[in-house]
């Protein structure tokens, strides 16, 4: 919305005989000091923004940890986050770091008076400064204590099992993000430095900056360019840092180790083509369910995000189902693509019903397009929720870096959401691949087994022996693809 | 319940770490702390409109922004027999707002502050008229049908019970009663609760919710004419200004037993006028100092902004074996801080206090909240921006003087034992 508005303003000013330079050069900031060399940078403004949010997305995460050195990415990010906080100093902003399996995100919220000097400083901490041994050691000891405390906990087991569900057998993607007590104890400054040297590369890092208008670099729009160029640059799509405009096709995501792939498990456009069902018996007081569907590569990110919202609204309305403790629906980048993942924690007695409810919701959404009026209303809600979420500058910047890595350009969300129609979202649901399902909880017997057929075409009222209920551990039952 | 404008959790960082090896940490050498034009500008309204029929409109222009946020403030003074009525009005309004906001995915909130009631809505700028309708509904005549009113009174009763029967609630109530005897708890008492019937709630609404008394803070791309049109005719019919009834309330004879396993101890100090920047910085420093001393017990520092005064409160909770150490830590923190106070520590704390405000204001909803709350006591549209600037000028001398004043006065003390 705000970008479209900016375009309108510029067009109007051009017709009034003013050049963009005359407009945008007011309070033009000194952006020459901004560090460069990134794969791409996207910018966006908040008119009354009080801080500058900068997010750096490094396409390397725990999947890049070496075997035996699991936890490297997480420990490195924690250490560098603290070094960045110390360099920023008190009262100048905030720094957070998030390590996922495939990415590491550094988020900086910086006060205007220290921008853009802070950007330069934080850049040098992340990429160049020596790793501080004392900070590293403190985090390593803390991490080991936490992991030791959590070892054998049901949560840790579920997390590991849920990750294995989404990755090919043996894939490093499924390794524990924070490592194990043994692997973390063996992590040395040299291992972390090697990881950073090989994977923290500016040329692979996507950067997004969201802040007050007066602090944004205007150089890309300050020149009196032809109208088309002005429009193109005003919309804050990826701005290549090198002088030459880069190809918008993204470079390959960096350096994931080669994954062992099962030929029959992949299909063009989907992360997997065969469904799986895993029941794991655990003596816990609630049942955790994960249901994941691979999303077709042809599905737009915005359509997939709306599908997530629709599924969530169906599964977790207000007032909530009294049998559920929590429901989370999200998109997850997995080896070979993206998946729509539903995680639900429910009363054990309701587990079968909830599994049906989740798969049934997807089936309904894939059975035909919504009525236009109903779709229009849901889209309006979706748009508002996304706008409110991205009113936090750091969340907008985070999303933009994901866009840059994924497609090479930051989406104009408001425009893309308006362009969605019922058919697009229906298509996204219809093209979902077969689900992979994990149930993790106590064995209550057949009385609580799911009974309805699901979209993968096989009845799930399977005999107990095939459903993987064992008292000692895990049995995986691979399902044939339904081919839908 | 006394609202806490600043609850300083003791997870705050302690001593300032040394500079990173090979890195020059950022300092303010290149950006004098009292020169923050961007930050000040972001909290300064662009337009203030005062139509005769109200409400007064304070606009933070947001051209091109996809989100609009509005916060409407209604001053409210309750008479003794009306205490708690504001909380009931807040509860009733919030229920109405939530139902409407859910339809379009907007966010709403409602709060009772020592100065009045505030309703807030945040949503897509494209839905601006609808958001204004949500606010209009919030300030409209309350639904005092039995079911709605009973639910609101039940919530109020729960809040009163929390203040009476939980150790931290009891501690706060005792400290407040001693340090600010003229200030009644916003949730009222069990005695006034019985008198809050539909007629009294409507009476309080009619007297307070007149558009001419309201202040609307808006962050949106809308031009003033649109905002004016969307907000015209809000609230209760205009009537001659009326004072709240001064009939005394019945004495509250409710007895309650606090169940606690830990000893709770607190000290309260009057620090001067409300929204005092020196008190805010001092509270942060005390939180750091108290945190550094705490070990096997829980401690907290709070700054209460009340009409015309602010109160600094230090509290602790400990199991019996650590209770004496906890009391000594709470009582000795002021002295300990004073002996090691220096310019750098004060400047860093002031910078953190300022940063907290700017971080809170980084979304349109946060912005109207920060600007609107700062306006409540005196109505100055630039109060938030001025407060930010005042914070940047707080130095060692001011903080040392406040601590010395507090040390010279005997603190109000309260204790809840197992």
């Amino acid at each position: 919305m705000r970008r479209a508005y900016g375009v309108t303003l510029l067009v109007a000013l051009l017709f009034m005989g003013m050049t963009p330079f005359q407009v945008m050069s007011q309070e033009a900031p000194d952006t020459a000091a901004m560090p460069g060399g990134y794969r791409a940078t996207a910018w966006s403004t908040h008119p009354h923004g009080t801080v500058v949010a900068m997010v750096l997305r490094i396409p390397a995460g725990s999947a890049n940890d070496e075997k035996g050195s699991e936890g490297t990415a997480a420990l490195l990010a924690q250490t560098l986050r603290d070094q960045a906080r110390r360099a920023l100093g008190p009262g100048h902003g905030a720094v957070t770091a998030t390590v996922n399996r495939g990415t590491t995100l550094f988020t900086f919220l910086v006060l205007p008076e220290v921008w853009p000097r802070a950007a330069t400083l934080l850049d040098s901490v992340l990429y160049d400064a020596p790793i501080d041994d004392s900070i590293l050691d403190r985090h390593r000891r803390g991490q080991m204590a936490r992991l030791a405390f959590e070892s054998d906990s049901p949560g840790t087991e579920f997390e590991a099992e849920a990750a294995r569900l989404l990755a090919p057998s043996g894939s490093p993607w499924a390794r524990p993000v924070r490592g194990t007590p043994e692997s973390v104890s063996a992590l040395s400054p040299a291992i972390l430095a090697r990881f950073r040297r090989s994977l923290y590369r500016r040329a692979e890092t996507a950067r997004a900056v969201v802040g007050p208008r007066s602090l944004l670099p205007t150089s890309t729009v300050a020149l009196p360019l032809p109208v088309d160029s002005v429009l193109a640059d005003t919309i804050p799509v990826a701005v290549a840092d090198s002088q030459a405009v880069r190809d918008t096709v993204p470079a390959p995501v960096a350096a994931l180790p080669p994954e062992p792939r099962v030929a029959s498990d992949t299909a063009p456009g989907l992360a997997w083509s065969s469904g799986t069902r895993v029941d794991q018996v655990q003596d816990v007081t609630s049942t955790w369910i994960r249901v994941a569907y691979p999303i077709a590569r042809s599905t737009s990110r915005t359509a997939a995000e709306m599908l997530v919202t629709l599924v969530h609204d169906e599964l977790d309305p207000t007032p909530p189902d009294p049998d559920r403790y929590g429901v989370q629906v999200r998109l997850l980048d997995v080896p070979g693509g993206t998946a729509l993942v539903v995680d639900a924690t429910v009363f054990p007695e309701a587990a079968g019903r909830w599994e049906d409810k989740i798969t049934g919701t997807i089936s309904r959404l894939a059975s035909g397009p919504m009525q236009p009026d109903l779709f229009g209303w849901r889209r309006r809600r979706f748009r508002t929720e996304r706008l409110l979420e991205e009113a936090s500058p750091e969340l907008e910047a985070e999303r933009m870096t994901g866009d840059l890595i994924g497609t090479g350009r930051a989406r104009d969300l408001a425009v893309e959401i308006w362009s969605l129609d019922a058919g697009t979202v229906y298509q996204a649901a219809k093209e979902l691949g077969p689900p992979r399902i994990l149930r993790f909880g106590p064995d209550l017997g057949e009385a609580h087994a799911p009974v309805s057929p699901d979209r993968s075409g096989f009845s799930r009222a399977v005999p107990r022996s095939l459903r993987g209920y064992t008292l000692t551990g895990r049995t995986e039952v691979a399902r044939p693809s339904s081919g839908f | 319940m006394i609202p806490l404008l600043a609850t300083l959790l003791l997870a705050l960082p302690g001593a300032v770490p040394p500079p990173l090896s090979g890195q020059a940490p950022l300092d303010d050498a290149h950006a004098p702390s009292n020169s923050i034009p961007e930050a000040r500008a972001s909290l300064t309204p662009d337009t203030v409109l005062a139509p005769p029929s109200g409400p007064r409109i304070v606009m933070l222009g947001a051209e091109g922004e996809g989100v609009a946020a509005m916060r409407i403030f209604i001053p409210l003074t309750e008479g003794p027999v009306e205490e708690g009525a504001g909380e009931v009005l807040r509860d009733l309004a919030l229920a109405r707002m939530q139902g409407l906001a859910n339809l379009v995915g907007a966010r709403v909130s409602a709060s009772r502050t020592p100065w009045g009631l505030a309703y807030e809505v945040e949503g897509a700028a494209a839905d601006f008229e609808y958001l204004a309708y949500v606010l209009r509904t919030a300030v409209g005549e309350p639904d005092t049908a039995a079911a709605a009113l009973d639910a609101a009174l039940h919530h109020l009763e729960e809040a009163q019970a929390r203040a009476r029967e939980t150790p931290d609630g009891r501690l706060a109530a005792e400290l407040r009663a001693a340090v600010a005897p003229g200030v009644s708890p916003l949730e009222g008492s069990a005695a006034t609760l019985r008198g809050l019937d539909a007629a009294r709630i409507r009476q309080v609404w009619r007297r307070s919710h007149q558009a001419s008394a309201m202040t609307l803070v808006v962050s949106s791309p809308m031009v003033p004419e649109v905002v004016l049109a969307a907000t015209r005719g809000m609230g209760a019919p205009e009537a001659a200004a009326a004072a709240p009834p001064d009939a005394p309330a019945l004495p509250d004879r409710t007895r309650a037993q606090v169940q606690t396993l830990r000893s709770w101890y607190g000290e309260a100090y009057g620090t001067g006028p409300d929204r005092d920047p020196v008190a805010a910085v001092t509270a942060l420093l005390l939180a750091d100092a108290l945190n550094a001393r705490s070990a096997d017990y829980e401690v907290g520092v709070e700054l209460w902004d009340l009409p015309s005064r602010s109160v600094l409160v230090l509290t602790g909770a400990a199991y019996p074996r650590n209770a004496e150490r906890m009391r000594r830590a709470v009582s000795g923190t002021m002295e300990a801080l004073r002996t090691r106070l220096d310019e750098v520590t004060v400047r860093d704390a002031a910078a953190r206090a300022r940063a907290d405000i700017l971080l809170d204001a980084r979304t349109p909803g946060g912005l109207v909240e920060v600007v609107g709350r700062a306006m409540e006591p005196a109505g100055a549209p630039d109060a938030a921006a001025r407060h930010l600037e005042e914070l940047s000028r707080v130095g060692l001398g001011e903080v040392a003087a406040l601590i010395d004043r507090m040390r010279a006065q005997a603190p109000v003390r309260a204790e809840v034992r197992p």
Side-chain angles (χ1 to χ4, degrees), chain A residues 368-418:
Chain A
M370 294 169 78
Q371 292 296 317
D373 286 352
L374 178 62
F375 180 81
W377 170 62
R378 302 298 290 270
R379 185 181 57 186
R380 184 180 180 186
R381 280 195 54 167
F382 170 61
R383 181 201 57 179
T384 299
E385 287 164 3
R386 287 307 310 267
L387 286 172
L388 286 176
E389 186 181 319
E390 297 209 354
S392 294
E394 70 276 22
L395 295 183
E396 182 182 9
E398 184 181 325
R399 189 265 304 163
M400 289 199 300
T401 58
D403 289 351
L404 292 178
I405 294 285
T407 63
R409 61 176 290 272
R411 286 173 289 164
D412 187 330
L413 258 194
V415 170
E416 293 216 5
I417 292 173
W418 276 130

Side-chain angles (χ1 to χ4, degrees), chain A residues 2 48 50 86 113 377 394, chain B residues 61 64-65 103 354 358 362:
Chain A
R2 69 180 136 254
H48 266 270
T50 55
R86 188 168 66 175
E113 63 254 38
W377 170 62
E394 70 276 22
Chain B
E65 187 64 85
L103 292 174
R354 215 180 60 218
L358 291 171
R362 71 185 186 278

